[in-house]
Amino acid sequence: MTGTSRFDKYFLMDENDVIEYVKEKLDFFEDTTNLECKEIGDGNLNYVFRIVDKNSNKSVILKHSGEDTRAKSGRKLNLDRNKIECKVMQLQSKYCSELVPEIYMYDEVMSCYAMEDLSNYTIMRTALVKNKTFDHFADNITTFMVNTLLPTTDVMLNHKEKKQLVKEHINPILCEISEQLVFTEPFTNFSNENIVLDSMKDFVEQTLYNDNSLRVECAKLKFNFMNNAQALLHGDLHTGSIFINEDDLKVIDPEFAFFGPIGYDVGNVIANLFLAWAHGFSTIENEDERSKYLLSIEKCIVDIVDMFKSKFIKKFRLEATDLLAKSEGFDNWYLKGVLEDTSGSVGLEMIRRIVGIAPVEDITSIKDEEKRAKVQKILILAGKEFILNRDEYTTGEQFVETLKKHMKSVLED
Ligand code: SR1
Ligand code: MG
């Protein structure tokens, strides 16, 4: 007869529960007599526990989901998002093992999984707000995107197998969060929850809420997001979902994963670099240091677009399996669509992180409100252009030029 365990039924664990859980359920530590556990999560949704054996210093991470969001949003969430995340990481690992952490176990009942401790890495957003940049980032993140996205499209995958995968990765609750928070609320304020500086209220109202042509383009992007099952996306590929150090990076947190447009992931990466740029622009006092940091972010954006395009086309030409997809010229047409979605997503993500209910540290930590408002205007104006004229953005240079154009106009205003 098997004994019962208090972990046979779901409950939200605290640090002490996690120690007991690890002792009972996880075959990882040789010695469990001196375990220490700390909750280290800083995201909006989940709890992240680091468990260390004080005798050997061996450590592991346990990620655990609650039934509500951590950030106050009044939203009830599905516990199986943990399962989605775990399965997606395992699939991404199949395509790009070096840039995804190792998963040790998954527990459906307790909605948690154990993974490799990345204590020698930092969350990229935390590093960026300390003005740290990483030369390898563009190369590694484009490898991650091309190697995990293209193999899950109909270009490479058997079409029946792909449809099966689409079915297995339907993620309605988390997709709904993005549909509202990214595509809808920032441009309508329909829940009246947007967070806007007093000095920015008129500007936001005029520039975002009262522009019907902008709403139409956001609607097109939203319907593309909901209906274009192009590839298995990470779904929330911002700099808080990336662990990084001097040598490489690991992509975490794909709980928003589903089959959607590739440009959504690429656009998220670029937008979050622009948010880091905004932080540096507003907070670095020394002129040389500021221009060095901004140049390095700008170069990174240019490199990401260039490298993404060349790696994408190379892999497409070598590995496409669909007979018609191999036709000369189809690859460039396909990439053009991805770049158009990328531009739209850069705009959406920048704008929603400024006026929406899920702001980011890059912007909130700009203490001087006047400077914060100025940089917000720059990003909103550039973001709007990325959405409205998305078919025009095919190089990283063009993105940077648009940002600089609005930087000039706002500073001269
Ligand atoms: C209520 S969740 C808010 C945001 O956090 C996640 O990281 C996603 O970006 C989501 O939009
Ligand atoms: Mg997350």
Side-chain angles (χ1 to χ4, degrees):
M1 205 178 93
T2 39
T4 56
S5 153
R6 67 190 192 102
F7 303 110
D8 287 345
K9 191 168 182 300
Y10 175 82
F11 66 96
L12 187 65
M13 294 190 279
D14 64 18
E15 291 170 348
N16 292 326
D17 299 320
V18 168
I19 292 189
E20 290 313 307
Y21 179 87
V22 165
K23 284 183 180 171
E24 189 180 317
K25 298 279 185 184
L26 190 64
D27 185 17
F28 179 77
F29 295 108
E30 287 86 44
D31 177 4
T32 56
T33 53
N34 200 4
L35 296 184
E36 199 176 86
C37 174
K38 205 168 166 2
E39 206 283 308
I40 55 166
D42 64 353
N44 292 315
L45 303 185
N46 303 297
Y47 299 84
V48 180
F49 297 94
R50 179 160 191 260
I51 307 103
V52 187
D53 168 13
K54 298 300 282 177
N55 295 338
S56 67
N57 262 337
K58 204 173 163 190
S59 56
V60 70
I61 294 291
L62 195 90
K63 188 160 175 193
H64 179 43
S65 300
E67 288 167 307
D68 305 293
T69 55
R70 286 184 76 151
K72 262 208 262 149
S73 77
R75 282 185 169 79
K76 277 276 168 212
L77 293 174
N78 50 331
L79 285 172
D80 70 348
R81 65 187 192 278
N82 205 274
K83 184 176 177 179
I84 295 173
E85 175 162 327
C86 203
K87 270 178 68 182
V88 171
M89 275 165 98
Q90 279 161 342
L91 194 70
Q92 289 170 338
S93 197
K94 191 176 122 191
Y95 298 125
C96 194
S97 60
E98 67 284 11
L99 300 176
V100 180
E102 194 182 338
I103 306 277
Y104 301 136
M105 64 83 88
Y106 165 66
D107 179 344
E108 185 155 10
V109 175
M110 291 306 295
S111 195
C112 65
Y113 67 85
M115 70 170 180
E116 162 186 10
D117 185 11
L118 300 169
S119 55
N120 49 343
Y121 291 75
T122 332
I123 286 288
M124 187 171 174
R125 193 185 306 286
T126 312
L128 286 168
V129 296
K130 291 181 186 151
N131 311 327
K132 177 106 197 62
T133 55
F134 300 88
D135 291 343
H136 67 79
F137 180 65
D139 189 23
N140 275 324
I141 200 66
T142 50
T143 296
F144 173 81
M145 291 192 289
V146 172
N147 288 3
T148 60
L149 294 168
L150 198 47
T152 59
T153 64
D154 281 298
V155 173
M156 282 179 58
L157 208 56
N158 167 284
H159 304 324
K160 282 205 206 93
E161 217 180 293
K162 192 224 168 194
K163 286 178 181 69
Q164 181 58 34
L165 274 183
V166 172
K167 208 161 114 185
E168 285 170 21
H169 291 87
I170 296 285
N171 194 355
I173 297 183
L174 294 201
C175 278
E176 187 185 46
I177 293 182
S178 304
E179 286 150 24
Q180 292 176 351
L181 269 50
V182 178
F183 295 87
T184 313
E185 301 207 32
F187 306 94
T188 59
N189 197 24
F190 82 93
S191 311
N192 204 21
E193 283 179 337
N194 283 351
I195 306 164
V196 180
L197 286 172
D198 283 344
S199 61
M200 286 288 287
K201 287 208 161 117
D202 287 347
F203 177 85
V204 166
E205 190 127 351
Q206 269 178 31
T207 321
L208 299 178
Y209 305 158
N210 292 344
D211 186 339
N212 190 60
S213 59
L214 180 62
R215 272 196 194 204
V216 171
E217 296 313 312
C218 291
K220 290 182 194 167
L221 287 163
K222 181 178 178 178
F223 277 71
N224 184 46
F225 177 83
M226 295 189 295
N227 294 292
N228 178 7
Q230 190 172 34
L232 180 58
L233 306 187
H234 176 283
D236 197 23
L237 196 47
H238 56 78
T239 49
S241 299
I242 297 165
F243 267 108
I244 196 158
N245 63 21
E246 293 298 334
D247 307 318
D248 72 343
L249 58 84
K250 303 274 182 190
V251 176
I252 57 162
D253 275 8
E255 66 196 315
F256 283 79
F258 77 111
F259 273 80
I262 291 173
Y264 188 75
D265 274 358
V266 188
N268 259 274
V269 172
I270 297 171
N272 278 274
L273 288 170
F274 276 130
L275 292 160
W277 184 97
H279 183 268
F281 176 77
S282 312
T283 61
I284 305 178
E285 308 231 319
N286 179 288
E287 214 174 297
D288 289 343
E289 276 173 36
R290 184 172 64 243
S291 83
K292 193 169 158 231
Y293 179 77
L294 299 184
L295 269 175
S296 151
I297 299 283
E298 289 160 19
K299 179 177 181 314
C300 189
I301 290 168
V302 172
D303 289 348
I304 286 175
V305 180
D306 289 350
M307 287 181 184
F308 177 80
K309 279 161 54 181
S310 60
K311 289 180 192 180
F312 191 88
I313 287 292
K314 187 171 174 208
K315 195 172 178 68
F316 196 117
R317 289 185 184 159
L318 283 172
E319 298 181 41
T321 55
D322 180 276
L323 185 60
L324 278 180
K326 291 188 209 179
S327 316
E328 201 188 324
F330 180 77
D331 49 3
N332 280 321
W333 174 85
Y334 192 95
L335 177 62
K336 179 81 180 61
V338 169
L339 293 174
E340 198 171 316
D341 295 340
T342 297
S343 178
S345 296
V346 176
L348 291 164
E349 172 73 2
M350 276 166 40
I351 291 174
R352 75 102 164 200
R353 295 298 191 182
I354 290 171
V355 303
I357 64 161
V360 285
E361 192 189 348
D362 315 54
I363 303 297
T364 55
S365 64
I366 305 171
K367 291 202 181 72
D368 182 326
E369 279 201 10
E370 208 176 307
K371 285 189 177 167
R372 196 184 333 157
K374 265 204 175 119
V375 89
Q376 289 187 341
K377 275 189 187 169
I378 299 171
L379 294 188
I380 289 175
L381 290 169
K384 204 171 150 171
E385 225 173 296
F386 298 148
I387 294 171
L388 293 174
N389 304 328
R390 58 190 178 282
D391 59 336
E392 289 171 15
Y393 288 89
T394 55
T395 68
E397 286 287 354
Q398 289 169 310
F399 283 103
V400 173
E401 272 165 24
T402 296
L403 182 84
K404 287 193 167 163
K405 180 181 84 185
H406 290 293
M407 176 187 83
K408 268 185 134 188
S409 73
V410 170
L411 291 182
E412 279 163 13
D413 199 16

